[in-house]
Amino acid sequence: MPGARPAGTTRAGDWATLAGRCLIAALFVAGAVQKFVDPEPARALLAGWALPGWAIWPAAVFNLSAGLALIAGIAVRPLAAMLAAYCAVTSLFHLVPEDPWQMSIFVKNWAIAGGCLVLAAHGAGRLRVRMGLRSGGGRDRLRGTQE
């Protein structure tokens, strides 16, 4: 039956999955905005690792586009897996044992990676935007369907 909830899911679970996706996405969208508005701190971090400052721009675009796709529920499994890897790699920038603040960011990156891995394993859930033409001629609407 179209729109029926898969066994073991609840309306509250559907909304919790959407909220979780949006909360994780907010971190990536905010990170992108921060890079676009004030790129110097990110450039300095990259320079400390002998990486080119221009590398923040592809990272910012990836953060923004992946975050928005997570909110919409588009391509969640592959994007969440890529975001988990991104968090694991970027956590290394914060591996500074003598600095408790940096170590906190290091651990948070791994926690975010864990949330992304859950999304990669379970998908977007039922509440997401579906792309494509429908028989009624409508495009892009929030649907309650399983990925």
Side-chain angles (χ1 to χ4, degrees), residues 17-55:
T17 301
L18 175 62
R21 260 190 6 243
C22 290
L23 289 170
I24 291 171
L27 289 165
F28 293 103
V29 171
V33 169
Q34 186 177 27
K35 287 175 183 73
F36 286 124
V37 171
D38 184 13
E40 290 312 311
R43 281 189 182 140
L45 186 66
L46 291 173
W49 284 77
L51 295 170
W54 61 261

Side-chain angles (χ1 to χ4, degrees), residues 17-18 21 73-74 76-77 119 122-128 147:
T17 301
L18 175 62
R21 260 190 6 243
I74 299 167
V76 166
R77 289 177 192 261
L119 286 176
H122 295 282
R126 291 173 28 88
L127 300 176
R128 60 194 172 101
E147 185 171 356

Side-chain angles (χ1 to χ4, degrees), residues 74-102:
I74 299 167
V76 166
R77 289 177 192 261
L79 279 173
M82 288 188 280
L83 287 168
Y86 176 87
C87 287
V89 170
T90 59
S91 73
L92 298 176
F93 295 130
H94 305 286
L95 181 57
V96 185
E98 62 276 4
D99 185 341
W101 182 253
Q102 291 298 318

